[in-house]
């Protein structure tokens, strides 16, 4: 039975562009796997605490040797890691906030990034899993645009999710999302609309492909 881990992070609720795309992916996935499982976390509605020293260092102690205090400190990390390990596919929303990812998503990564288990030398428990990352942004950061080179979302997530955790990462990038509401960007609305249409179609296409592979 296929399992999808779906994580949303946008603070914009029903007006969120990243949520619209992750919702399209999930709806297609659920049509393909009506008996499957979806693990869902909304990190805006229910944010995770920042990683603290006790939980961090407990990760370097063999579970059988952890004290009661260490077990309690590691409990949330263990839960989040187990959710990721149980998933066939990870669907992550990473809208660009101030040139980088939401702090809520960074907190999730910090908890899941466990040396000797999900990261580091040896067999990494998430390695080879497919991850789809929806990274919406108000402008465009493509080559040739004024903001090219200022995208600190995709390179960071390629390194952490792909390089360190071993996930096979695909990005869907809805861009120019501020065009409909910013008068100075009015001439970019057609490009925004094309990007939105392309992103929704990509979400459905990737969901169908990954659902087939997970069957």
């Amino acid at each position: 039975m296929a399992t999808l881990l779906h994580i949303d992070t946008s603070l914009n609720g029903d007006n969120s562009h990243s949520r619209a795309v992750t919702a399209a992916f999930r709806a297609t996935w659920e049509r393909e796997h009506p008996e499957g499982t979806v693990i869902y976390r909304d990190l805006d509605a229910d944010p995770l605490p920042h990683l603290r020293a006790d939980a961090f260092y407990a990760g370097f102690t063999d579970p059988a040797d952890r004290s009661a205090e260490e077990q309690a400190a590691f409990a949330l990390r263990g839960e989040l890691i187990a959710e990721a390990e149980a998933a066939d596919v990870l669907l992550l929303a990473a809208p660009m906030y101030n040139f980088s990812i939401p702090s809520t998503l960074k907190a999730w990564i910090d908890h899941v990034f466990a040396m000797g288990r999900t990261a580091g030398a040896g067999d990494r428990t998430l390695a080879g899993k497919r991850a789809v990352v929806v990274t919406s942004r108000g402008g465009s950061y493509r080559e040739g645009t004024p903001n090219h080179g200022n995208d600190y979302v995709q390179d960071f997530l390629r390194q952490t999710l792909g390089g360190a955790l071993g996930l096979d990462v695909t990005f869907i990038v809805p861009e120019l999302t501020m065009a409909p509401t910013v008068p100075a960007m009015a001439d970019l609305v057609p490009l925004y609309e094309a990007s939105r249409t392309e992103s929704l179609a990509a979400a459905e296409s990737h969901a169908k492909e990954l659902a087939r592979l997970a069957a």
Side-chain angles (χ1 to χ4, degrees):
M1 185 178 297
T3 298
L4 173 69
L5 174 59
H6 174 188
I7 296 178
D8 277 327
T9 58
S10 172
L11 53 77
N12 287 316
D14 292 340
N15 295 320
S16 165
H17 297 277
S18 65
R19 287 178 186 268
V21 177
T22 60
F25 183 105
R26 177 172 171 174
T28 302
W29 173 278
E30 290 181 322
R31 284 197 300 271
E32 297 294 319
H33 286 300
E35 303 302 322
T37 299
V38 176
I39 303 168
Y40 181 62
R41 283 190 179 268
D42 184 339
L43 298 186
D44 177 63
D46 189 16
L48 299 168
H50 290 299
L51 183 63
R52 301 293 301 274
D54 53 358
F56 174 75
Y57 288 109
F60 292 92
T61 303
D62 188 289
D65 296 330
R66 287 177 191 151
S67 66
E69 292 77 11
E70 289 172 328
Q71 291 175 3
F74 194 81
L76 176 59
R77 293 190 69 193
E79 179 182 350
L80 296 170
I81 292 168
E83 288 177 353
E85 290 173 340
D88 295 284
V89 174
L90 287 75
L91 174 64
L92 309 176
M96 179 186 285
Y97 291 164
N98 302 319
F99 303 105
S100 188
I101 65 173
S103 62
T104 52
L105 181 58
K106 179 59 164 62
W108 180 84
I109 291 172
D110 287 343
H111 283 288
V112 170
F113 200 108
M115 298 299 293
R117 182 169 174 179
T118 62
D123 295 331
R124 296 169 294 175
T125 57
L126 303 182
K129 291 181 183 289
R130 303 292 291 270
V132 175
V133 178
V134 179
T135 173
S136 54
R137 60 275 315 277
S140 178
Y141 294 76
R142 297 187 184 194
E143 187 172 356
T145 65
N147 271 321
H148 177 63
N150 293 328
D151 175 356
Y152 302 103
V153 174
Q154 292 189 69
D155 285 347
F156 170 73
L157 293 177
R158 283 193 189 97
Q159 177 58 30
T160 53
L161 301 179
L165 300 183
L167 293 165
D168 184 349
V169 183
T170 298
F171 289 97
I172 300 176
V173 187
E175 63 179 9
L176 299 167
T177 61
M178 294 178 63
T181 59
V182 176
M185 298 176 67
D187 60 335
L188 298 175
V189 168
L191 293 177
Y192 150 73
E193 292 174 341
S195 177
R196 179 178 175 85
T197 298
E198 179 182 336
S199 297
L200 292 170
E204 294 181 8
S205 175
H206 286 307
K208 288 180 179 178
E209 177 190 1
L210 296 181
R212 177 181 57 81
L213 293 174

